[in-house]
Amino acid sequence: MMLKRTLIFLFLAFGLNVQADQQAILSKAEAEKTVAFLEDHVEIILYCGCCSNDTYTKLALTKVSYECESSNWCRVRVQGVDVETQSELSKTIDLAYAWVNIDGVAKNLAWEVGLNADPCTPNFDWETFESIREVSEDVFDKNDAEAFQLSFKKLKKLLESETGFTLETFESNKQFVVEEVTLTSKPTMNSVVVSQIGGDFEHRYTIQQNRGSN
């Protein structure tokens, strides 16, 4: 209950958006648009920047499709061959953690099809996976920086005291007790990365602060 009250306070006081599973569930129209877009691409990279210790998987696509439970509950499925291991892979994807090759740059799939997402990492080189930072420190206004730091201090004090509750992991659906919470600031991206740690598990998500919030 304390965690729920804290998060509600954050939403109201700071105007924040929290991302975990972001664009895994789509409308039928969104799924159709994504499949049509991917039909023009021979490869896709699967990488979750919001997850702990995730690795880059480059997939040579053999088939892209979608499957729906209803018109507003669809998932995109990719099938192909892992370029590195040569093993076959078939899985549904979260568009926020999928990347396509645009002139040698890995760009976020959700963004490319017009959906909102926070992939928790900038674009990167398609071959080397090295980050391509397109946001300069110089464009981060002094007033923005001061407002961000004030919000970050409040968030840090609130969230790092929230431990001892049970969470379920995003991918394996295993439960663990949160023993430690750490916050890392990304001022130029106007966001904070929250890591909730317990035993061998880590739950990581991004809080995006809306411009103009205090």
Side-chain angles (χ1 to χ4, degrees):
M1 288 300 293
M2 179 63 71
L3 177 63
K4 183 181 292 186
R5 287 196 297 270
T6 298
L7 292 177
I8 290 173
F9 172 77
L10 295 178
F11 297 146
L12 294 177
F14 301 111
L16 303 173
N17 298 318
V18 178
Q19 288 82 29
D21 291 339
Q22 299 181 55
Q23 296 293 354
I25 304 298
L26 308 172
S27 69
K28 185 176 180 180
E30 291 169 341
E32 289 177 340
K33 181 178 181 180
T34 302
V35 169
F37 178 84
L38 288 176
E39 285 177 349
D40 292 331
H41 293 264
V42 296
E43 292 182 332
I44 191 172
I45 289 176
L46 305 178
Y47 174 69
C48 177
C50 303
C51 304
S52 176
N53 301 320
D54 196 28
T55 56
Y56 297 87
T57 300
K58 184 179 290 185
L59 196 66
L61 294 171
T62 57
K63 183 179 180 181
V64 181
S65 59
Y66 66 89
E67 48 205 49
C68 299
E69 294 290 333
S70 68
S71 60
N72 289 308
W73 185 14
C74 300
R75 293 179 183 270
V76 170
R77 178 175 292 277
V78 295
Q79 295 173 248
V81 178
D82 186 315
V83 172
E84 182 177 355
T85 66
Q86 293 300 300
S87 58
E88 294 186 355
L89 180 67
S90 175
K91 67 178 296 183
T92 58
I93 61 173
D94 187 327
L95 274 59
Y97 311 129
W99 306 80
V100 290
N101 188 353
I102 307 295
D103 298 327
V105 176
K107 295 193 174 183
N108 187 257
L109 176 57
W111 292 350
E112 291 301 306
V113 297
L115 299 177
N116 292 324
D118 179 5
C120 302
T121 188
N123 296 336
F124 51 89
D125 185 274
W126 187 260
E127 298 300 332
T128 66
F129 306 135
E130 292 182 1
S131 295
I132 299 173
R133 299 193 177 275
E134 299 175 347
V135 178
S136 169
E137 295 278 351
D138 297 335
V139 303
F140 195 62
D141 183 83
K142 181 176 183 291
N143 291 332
D144 286 340
E146 291 176 350
F148 177 88
Q149 289 301 327
L150 178 61
S151 295
F152 177 71
K153 289 178 181 179
K154 293 178 180 178
L155 280 170
K156 187 175 179 70
K157 182 178 180 180
L158 285 166
L159 288 183
E160 289 191 348
S161 64
E162 297 288 354
T163 59
F165 59 94
T166 301
L167 277 182
E168 189 173 274
T169 60
F170 292 144
E171 296 293 332
S172 61
N173 297 322
K174 294 182 179 179
Q175 293 189 336
F176 68 99
V177 177
V178 175
E179 300 169 348
E180 179 184 359
V181 180
T182 62
L183 271 69
T184 304
S185 65
K186 293 185 175 182
T188 59
M189 298 179 69
N190 215 40
S191 63
V192 174
V193 178
V194 181
S195 296
Q196 296 165 318
I197 304 165
D200 296 328
F201 296 104
E202 180 178 3
H203 216 177
R204 183 183 297 178
Y205 59 90
T206 294
I207 297 176
Q208 184 76 37
Q209 181 175 330
N210 295 335
R211 292 289 184 185
S213 59
N214 295 314

